[in-house]
């Protein structure tokens, strides 16, 4: 097998940590000796041993003289665990192949330099693009302190997210809903507007997959979230992102376990750039937006969305009063539209999942790091 094939195995292993490692990155590792795998590992939980440690422990004495494939540069500092470079050297690894350098300023190339200085052969950049995509949440969070923002919508082929009566169940297939719940598990927080809560009373959990439920964030300028909303019944501490909330409403929300953040903007709404920063300061590295068309449009217009995923169903809803995927006033010129980079398309059941990184429109003003 080639370096690329072994690295793909490591990338696949890394995915097993989805939802359990935030705000750490997904990392996988494979130890190969004489053309066969002698050790496998992945980062399993935040604060726990790193992928390299699990792989080297499984390999045991077979690691001496072997090659270690790891999706992210081994760490070289004491954090919640000892340096992985020390463990690699003590195991007698002859060669290390990494997909990408760790963007953490405390590491960023130092781990590879440590290994090279000790005589270990180092190869970097194998399947780098796939590894960069896999760790995009971590990369933004560790370098800026801001939450990564992922906009997800289920839309008909003609760009509608609900009929003129507001009916939206179900535009996407069951297979797409399972994938969408994986996205929920992968992200630390999930955001909807108060209109979505009042209309649909969503649970915002991961009931279609096994794993951690994201922290709900409700964009609710005046604190109208009902105390009996279903998203409150999961033992989480939802965030109500508001502009100004009357004292009695704030007290009522706090009694049912909400955190009320008053983040007023100049137009009487919620300051979205400040919200993204505040989410990061709370230790939440990512936000999955599942709100309606107005919420989606407001984040896009502010230049805050990092990735878009549209589950496109083979449906034609029609009607000028049907709900569009993106509300707001829109752009005046096509040249001002937000564009997707590195776009992918994948069949999910009968639907098409289209995803890509967002290049903000020129007029958008993203928050300072």
């Amino acid at each position: 097998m080639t370096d690329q094939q072994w690295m793909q195995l490591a990338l696949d292993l890394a995915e097993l940590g989805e939802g359990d490692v935030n705000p750490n990155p997904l990392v996988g590792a494979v130890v190969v000796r004489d053309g066969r795998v002698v050790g496998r590992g992945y980062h399993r939980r935040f604060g726990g041993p790193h992928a390299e440690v699990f792989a080297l422990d499984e390999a045991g004495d077979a690691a001496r003289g072997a090659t270690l494939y790891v999706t992210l540069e081994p760490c070289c500092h004491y954090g919640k665990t000892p340096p992985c470079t020390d463990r690699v050297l003590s195991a007698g690894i002859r060669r290390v192949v990494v997909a990408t350098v760790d963007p953490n300023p405390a590491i960023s190339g130092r781990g590879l330099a440590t290994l090279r200085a000790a005589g270990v052969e180092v190869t970097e950049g194998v399947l780098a693009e796939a590894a960069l995509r896999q760790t995009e949440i971590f990369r933004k969070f560790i370098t800026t302190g801001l939450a990564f923002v992922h906009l997800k919508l289920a839309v008909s082929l003609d760009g509608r997210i609900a009929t003129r009566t507001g009916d939206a169940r179900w535009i996407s297939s069951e297979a797409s809903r399972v994938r969408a719940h994986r996205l929920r598990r992968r992200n630390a927080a999930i955001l909807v507007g108060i209109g979505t809560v009042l209309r649909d009373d969503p649970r915002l959990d991961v009931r279609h997959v096994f794993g951690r439920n994201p922290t709900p964030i409700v964009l609710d300028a005046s604190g109208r979230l009902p105390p009996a909303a279903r998203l409150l019944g999961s033992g989480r501490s939802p965030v109500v992102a508001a502009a100004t909330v009357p004292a009695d409403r704030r007290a009522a929300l706090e009694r049912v376990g909400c955190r009320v953040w008053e983040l007023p903007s100049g137009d009487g709404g919620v300051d979205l750039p400040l919200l993204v920063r505040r989410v990061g300061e709370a230790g939440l590295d990512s936000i999955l937006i599942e709100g309606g068309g107005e919420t989606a449009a407001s984040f896009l217009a502010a230049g805050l969305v990092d990735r878009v995923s549209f589950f496109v169903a083979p449906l034609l809803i029609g009607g000028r009063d049907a709900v569009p995927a993106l509300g707001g006033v829109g752009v005046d010129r096509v040249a001002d539209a937000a564009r997707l980079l590195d776009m992918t398309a994948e069949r999910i059941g009968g639907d098409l999942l289209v995803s890509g990184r967002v290049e903000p429109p020129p007029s958008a003003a993203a928050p300072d790091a």
Side-chain angles (χ1 to χ4, degrees):
M1 290 177 65
T2 65
D3 282 349
Q4 288 76 14
Q5 289 171 308
W6 294 126
M7 187 62 74
Q8 185 59 59
L9 177 57
L11 288 165
D12 293 342
L13 284 168
E15 288 293 318
L16 298 176
E18 182 180 73
D20 294 321
V21 301
N22 306 62
N24 280 356
L26 295 167
V27 183
V30 178
V31 181
V32 177
R33 180 171 178 176
D34 299 327
R36 66 184 184 90
V37 175
V38 294
R40 295 178 174 86
Y42 66 94
H43 188 33
R44 300 181 182 181
R45 61 178 178 82
F46 175 69
H50 291 182
E52 302 94 314
V53 173
F54 285 114
L56 292 169
D57 283 349
E58 182 178 298
D61 292 339
R64 191 159 299 278
T67 297
L68 170 68
Y69 293 85
V70 61
T71 59
L72 192 70
E73 174 185 13
C75 67
C76 57
H77 72 303
Y78 281 90
K80 292 185 179 297
T81 59
C84 286
T85 49
D86 289 358
R87 184 72 177 84
V88 171
L89 293 174
S90 66
I93 288 291
R94 177 186 63 83
R95 180 179 179 232
V96 172
V97 181
V98 301
T100 64
V101 171
D102 193 324
N104 186 342
I107 304 169
S108 196
R110 295 183 181 89
L112 299 185
T114 298
L115 295 174
R116 287 188 173 109
V120 176
E121 179 186 348
V122 174
T123 301
E124 56 183 294
V126 176
L127 297 188
E129 289 187 9
L132 288 170
R133 191 160 53 246
Q134 188 176 70
T135 56
E136 62 186 359
I137 291 174
F138 173 72
R139 289 178 180 279
K140 180 182 180 182
F141 184 68
I142 198 66
T143 57
T144 69
L146 301 173
F148 185 90
V149 180
H150 190 159
L151 170 62
K152 168 261 168 184
L153 290 173
V155 304
S156 65
L157 194 59
D158 56 341
R160 303 295 196 265
I161 59 174
T163 69
R164 60 183 175 80
T165 65
D167 180 42
R169 295 191 177 184
W170 294 101
I171 287 179
S172 60
S173 66
E174 183 176 354
S176 290
R177 294 196 293 277
V178 171
R179 176 63 71 86
H181 279 225
R182 281 193 58 190
L183 289 179
R184 290 181 178 185
R185 180 176 65 186
R186 196 182 195 95
N187 288 270
I190 181 169
L191 183 146
V192 297
I194 185 61
T196 296
V197 175
L198 296 177
R199 182 180 62 251
D200 300 333
D201 194 18
R203 284 179 278 184
L204 305 181
D205 58 15
V206 296
R207 60 193 177 277
H208 288 306
V209 296
F210 178 79
R212 168 192 53 80
N213 288 319
T215 296
I217 301 174
V218 181
L219 204 59
D220 183 9
S222 57
R224 293 186 292 154
L225 180 68
R230 290 196 298 176
L231 62 85
L232 294 166
S234 58
R236 295 171 288 178
S237 298
V239 171
V240 174
T244 303
V245 181
D248 58 336
R249 287 294 305 142
R250 182 185 187 106
L253 290 168
E254 290 176 342
R255 279 197 298 271
V256 294
C258 290
R259 289 172 282 176
V260 180
W261 295 351
E262 293 193 28
L263 309 167
S265 64
D267 60 4
V270 177
D271 187 324
L272 299 183
L274 183 56
L275 171 60
V276 171
R277 181 175 291 107
R278 182 73 179 272
V279 170
E281 290 171 352
L284 301 171
D285 63 1
S286 49
I287 305 168
L288 180 67
I289 297 176
E290 286 197 5
E294 296 299 325
T295 297
S298 64
F299 274 87
L300 277 169
L304 297 171
V305 178
D306 298 294
R307 176 169 290 277
V308 164
S309 292
F310 276 26
F311 291 86
V312 184
L315 301 174
L316 297 172
I317 291 176
R320 59 178 174 272
D321 294 328
V323 183
L326 298 177
V329 297
V331 297
D332 293 328
R333 304 181 307 151
V334 172
D336 294 328
R339 296 182 180 273
L340 298 190
L341 305 175
D342 303 326
M343 192 177 75
T344 61
E346 176 185 359
R347 286 288 297 271
I348 306 290
D351 302 333
L352 186 66
L353 171 58
V354 179
S355 183
R357 292 189 297 109
V358 177
E359 181 180 47
S363 58
D368 295 331

